Amino acid sequence: MYEKLVDRFIRYVKIDTRSDANSETIPSTQSQVEFAKMLVEDLKEIGLEEVEYTEANSFVTATLPANTDKELATVGFIAHVDTADFESENIQPQFVEDYDGEDILLNKEENIVLSPSAFPNLKNYIGKTLITTDGTTLLGADDKAGIVEIISAVEYLIDHPEIEHGRVRLAFGPDEEIGVGADRFDVDHFDADFAYTVDGGPIGELQYESFNAAGVKILVQGKNVHPGTAKDQMVNALTLAMDYHAELPVDEVPEKTEGREGFFHLTSMTGTVEEARMEYIVRDHDREAFEARKAMILEIAERLNQGFEEERIQIEMNDQYYNMREVIEKDMRSVEIAQTAMKELEIEAVLEPIRGGTDGSKISFMGLPTPNLFAGGENFHGRYEFIAIESMEAATDVIRKIIELIAKN
């Protein structure tokens, strides 16, 4: 049904678009610019209108005009062009047809195996056609699967003008993986009533609840003197950093939490006796609990600082995004239409909170309700990433069905 979907996916994932958290440019890597401009040409080629690349935010936007005189809501579909912080050069996708449920040898030379013993989710794909990595890179289905699914859905509608539909907006943006791409999303220019990010995992995922999120940087200032004369003089920054970390709840970490349970996550720790640095991410679905976690971060620093004549621990903390449920639950049309679309396609909708965030987390708070739809991939951000062709087709079906339902209702 979607003749170009797989070929387009393979062509896109082979293009390196990895983002860079240490970059100060917009977007963070030039490869994303080049890919975005290629998308502009592809979108024009299939017949979309108002196709443009906006240099101020590096988003590609386009319009599928309505083919009816009815006054209908404008729906938007959004995906990101960048891939995560893992090897992304020379991606060599591999096909596994009629998967048998056994180990998949990704790379013979390095003996890299994708095994259901390590990834039980593989058993869900027996009989399907999988696209995997060669074991040395990620695949990039996050989120190039979302891009090709959106394009394939609107391309189908262009090729079938007998299907009534309203105005549809598309947006493909940068730097989602480093959490800054949506900061400059132009909601007014996008001009939609509600939207969806197509950036989820397995078939059926429909998410309108995300974490509240903050990033924390901690500078610990020590005092380095010769260890032979250090008594009552040395302040070991590394030790003080460990003392700080020990004050946090030991069980409230990612590896011991699930569902709506929040956490403190130490992502890096470096330093010497003289100076140490730590970085955390703080997450919670509940806003009050989230604020309490941030307060704890500050309170621990204040309490430990009281043991010194000068401030030894400094905190820099910034909110990153909030739980999009706060916005979406005020207008549930987007969720209800997606649920109906999946039901008509005999897909079981799985409404679970995201233990993370999407661009929709930020865009929803800009005034555009934007839940997240499945794109079909599994094991994102690493060498074991894979996707089934059937999952991509199902995601494309859902996008198309949502557009059709808006015209009917």
Side-chain angles (χ1 to χ4, degrees):
M1 180 180 291
Y2 308 113
E3 296 178 0
K4 301 178 183 177
L5 186 149
V6 174
D7 288 344
R8 186 177 281 132
F9 177 73
I10 297 301
R11 178 160 62 95
Y12 287 179
V13 297
K14 286 186 174 182
I15 301 171
D16 177 15
T17 56
R18 180 176 174 178
S19 48
D20 180 2
N22 296 315
S23 171
E24 296 182 358
T25 63
I26 303 171
S28 64
T29 52
Q30 181 62 27
S31 61
Q32 294 182 74
V33 177
E34 296 168 0
F35 182 67
K37 291 182 177 180
M38 186 189 77
L39 284 176
V40 167
E41 298 307 312
D42 287 358
L43 297 177
K44 288 179 179 178
E45 184 178 338
I46 68 172
L48 292 173
E49 299 183 7
E50 300 176 326
V51 182
E52 56 186 321
Y53 171 74
T54 303
E55 290 191 4
N57 61 13
S58 298
F59 270 85
V60 175
T61 53
T63 302
L64 174 66
N67 64 358
T68 177
D69 293 331
K70 293 180 182 177
E71 290 191 11
L72 300 172
T74 295
V75 62
F77 295 93
I78 302 167
H80 63 89
V81 304
D82 65 315
T83 58
D85 187 18
F86 193 81
E87 180 58 59
S88 57
E89 293 185 0
N90 194 32
I91 293 173
Q92 299 295 326
Q94 301 184 134
F95 287 82
V96 180
E97 297 184 1
D98 193 19
Y99 174 57
D100 60 6
E102 301 300 320
D103 287 357
I104 299 171
L105 182 61
L106 298 178
N107 191 294
K108 184 176 181 179
E109 291 182 359
E110 300 187 27
N111 193 31
I112 299 172
V113 177
L114 176 59
S115 173
S117 62
F119 302 102
N121 50 339
L122 273 167
K123 292 291 188 178
N124 298 327
Y125 296 92
I126 293 174
K128 309 297 184 184
T129 297
L130 306 185
I131 304 176
T132 73
T133 74
D134 70 352
T136 64
T137 69
L138 50 64
L139 180 61
D142 180 14
D143 188 26
K144 287 169 182 170
I147 294 173
V148 300
E149 289 154 7
I150 294 168
I151 293 174
S152 294
V154 296
E155 184 176 37
Y156 184 90
L157 293 173
I158 290 170
D159 292 341
H160 294 81
E162 72 278 6
I163 300 174
E164 186 179 39
H165 62 80
R167 182 170 175 263
V168 181
R169 289 284 280 162
L170 284 64
F172 304 127
D175 291 336
E176 190 270 351
E177 297 293 359
I178 59 174
V180 299
D183 291 347
R184 294 175 175 81
F185 184 76
D186 191 337
V187 168
D188 291 336
H189 175 71
F190 194 55
D191 190 26
D193 294 288
F194 54 87
Y196 302 88
T197 50
V198 185
D199 191 21
I203 288 179
E205 281 192 354
L206 172 57
Q207 300 156 326
Y208 70 97
E209 182 176 356
S210 61
F211 274 137
N212 297 288
V216 181
K217 295 181 179 180
I218 301 179
L219 173 64
V220 182
Q221 192 64 53
K223 181 181 179 182
N224 193 7
V225 298
H226 191 284
T229 58
K231 185 175 181 180
D232 298 327
Q233 295 188 61
M234 177 186 287
V235 178
N236 190 323
L238 290 168
T239 301
L240 185 52
M242 290 188 289
D243 290 343
Y244 181 96
H245 184 71
E247 292 291 317
L248 293 169
V250 65
D251 290 328
E252 296 181 16
V253 292
E255 58 267 37
K256 295 184 179 182
T257 53
E258 61 184 353
R260 289 181 172 82
E261 296 171 337
F263 57 74
F264 301 93
H265 181 32
L266 177 62
T267 58
S268 70
M269 181 178 180
T270 59
T272 62
V273 173
E274 184 71 21
E275 183 179 279
R277 296 178 182 271
M278 299 186 292
E279 294 190 10
Y280 288 85
I281 59 173
V282 180
R283 301 289 189 265
D284 210 294
H285 285 95
D286 181 84
R287 179 67 79 99
E288 290 186 8
F290 174 61
E291 295 298 333
R293 290 184 184 281
K294 293 193 296 177
M296 183 183 294
I297 289 283
L298 298 174
E299 187 275 330
I300 294 171
E302 181 179 357
R303 176 157 39 85
L304 292 178
N305 277 328
Q306 289 174 357
F308 302 96
E309 293 181 356
E310 58 186 285
E311 185 177 80
R312 293 288 179 183
I313 302 174
Q314 298 177 1
I315 305 289
E316 179 184 329
M317 183 160 50
N318 297 293
D319 288 358
Q320 297 169 319
Y321 55 84
Y322 301 111
N323 188 345
M324 58 189 176
R325 178 174 181 166
E326 293 182 30
V327 175
I328 295 173
E329 66 183 359
K330 297 174 183 177
D331 180 0
M332 291 287 285
R333 281 182 300 169
S334 56
V335 176
E336 292 165 354
I337 291 170
Q339 285 181 289
T340 302
M342 292 188 197
K343 183 177 181 180
E344 291 196 6
L345 293 166
E346 299 183 344
I347 294 172
E348 181 180 356
V350 181
L351 275 74
E352 294 180 345
I354 308 170
R355 285 186 61 79
T358 70
D359 279 344
S361 302
K362 291 184 176 181
I363 293 170
S364 292
F365 277 89
M366 294 176 181
L368 179 64
T370 308
N372 189 43
L373 294 173
F374 72 89
E378 298 257 22
N379 301 350
F380 290 153
H381 298 186
R383 68 180 81 247
Y384 300 108
E385 184 181 5
F386 70 90
I387 194 167
I389 292 176
E390 292 84 353
S391 297
M392 287 196 289
E393 292 172 341
T396 307
D397 286 342
V398 170
I399 295 166
R400 203 187 80 217
K401 180 62 72 172
I402 287 171
I403 297 169
E404 294 176 18
L405 285 173
I406 292 171
K408 291 179 180 178
N409 298 328

